[in-house]
Amino acid sequence: AAENGCQPSMGPQLAVTLLELLVLILMRQAAALIQPEPLPHCVVHDQIDHQELKLTPTAAKDLCRVAVALLRFDPVPHVRTAALASVVPLLAAWSNAVRFTEVVRGDGKDDSAATPWVHLDEELADALCGHLGELLTEANGVPPDCGHFQGLPEPGNPKHTSAFSQTFAAIHQALMAAGSGGGGAGGVASYVIADSERVRIA
């Protein structure tokens, strides 16, 4: 809709929520697809549908195409940030799962053709780099005394909220603040974010 100059049919907060949920679902499905052996012993509350697994690569590629459209055309910067924060961990998790499987397999067999890949193509890379540049430019413009940040949580540590969850929490917080502010001129919400959060997200 944004690409065609039309008003999106959903609000930015719903769009961000759907992106977050889709990535979590696709990561779980990708792990089941690429590493089928250990998963039945780990997932007992929500059994894997093997017919659905066959659609996982297509669903991941579709999400990447949606992310490109959002990164290029969505008027709300937080939705664009959510698109970036969705695709990067999905591609990283997919690549890690494939590489880990190849190392563990270690049997000399060449199953690369059978391994489902979701690639970072040029169109997606350009869109991601463009928005990352915007985020870094904003963060670099923050006064030094407003942007202190202690660092990222240790990956995989269950005692700390992940960087993925922290990013989406910051985006949701900014969107809720804009929604409760009643909007700017003409009833259009002013999507602003604190300087410290700019640094943290970047």
Side-chain angles (χ1 to χ4, degrees), residues 1-3 6-8 12 69-80 188-189 191:
E3 183 177 357
C6 303
Q7 186 69 23
L70 292 174
L71 286 164
R72 288 186 170 177
F73 302 108
D74 198 279
V76 180
H78 302 323
V79 174
R80 300 197 298 272
V188 179
Y191 295 102

Side-chain angles (χ1 to χ4, degrees), residues 55-199:
L55 303 176
T56 303
T58 300
K61 292 172 184 176
D62 287 345
L63 178 60
C64 289
R65 283 193 284 269
V66 170
V68 170
L70 292 174
L71 286 164
R72 288 186 170 177
F73 302 108
D74 198 279
V76 180
H78 302 323
V79 174
R80 300 197 298 272
T81 299
L84 182 149
S86 300
V87 172
V88 170
L90 175 62
L91 292 176
W94 200 291
S95 176
N96 288 341
V98 172
R99 297 301 184 193
F100 177 79
T101 303
E102 291 174 348
V103 170
V104 171
R105 185 184 297 129
D107 52 10
K109 296 180 181 179
D110 182 12
D111 293 334
S112 57
T115 302
W117 269 98
V118 177
H119 295 284
L120 175 64
D121 60 33
E122 185 175 353
E123 185 180 29
L124 178 56
D126 288 345
L128 291 171
C129 288
H131 188 64
L132 178 60
E134 293 177 13
L135 290 176
L136 294 176
T137 299
E138 288 186 0
N140 288 333
V142 172
D145 59 344
C146 295
H148 295 296
F149 183 55
Q150 300 300 321
L152 294 173
E154 180 183 352
N157 188 337
K159 296 181 180 179
H160 301 285
T161 305
S162 68
F164 176 86
S165 295
Q166 287 186 25
T167 301
F168 274 92
I171 295 171
H172 281 298
Q173 185 177 10
L175 289 172
M176 285 189 292
S180 63
V188 179
S190 176
Y191 295 102
V192 297
I193 192 167
D195 283 343
S196 59
E197 292 301 293
R198 294 180 191 276
V199 174

Side-chain angles (χ1 to χ4, degrees), residues 8-67:
S9 58
M10 68 177 68
Q13 195 156 3
L14 178 57
V16 170
T17 300
L18 290 175
L19 284 169
E20 183 178 9
L21 290 175
L22 279 171
V23 171
L24 294 174
I25 292 170
L26 285 172
M27 284 184 177
R28 183 254 198 183
Q29 294 293 90
L33 177 67
I34 299 168
Q35 302 174 6
E37 291 302 322
L39 203 73
H41 307 289
C42 303
V43 179
V44 294
H45 64 283
D46 186 13
Q47 295 299 314
I48 297 295
D49 185 326
H50 292 280
Q51 290 300 115
E52 289 181 358
L53 288 185
K54 298 177 182 178
L55 303 176
T56 303
T58 300
K61 292 172 184 176
D62 287 345
L63 178 60
C64 289
R65 283 193 284 269
V66 170

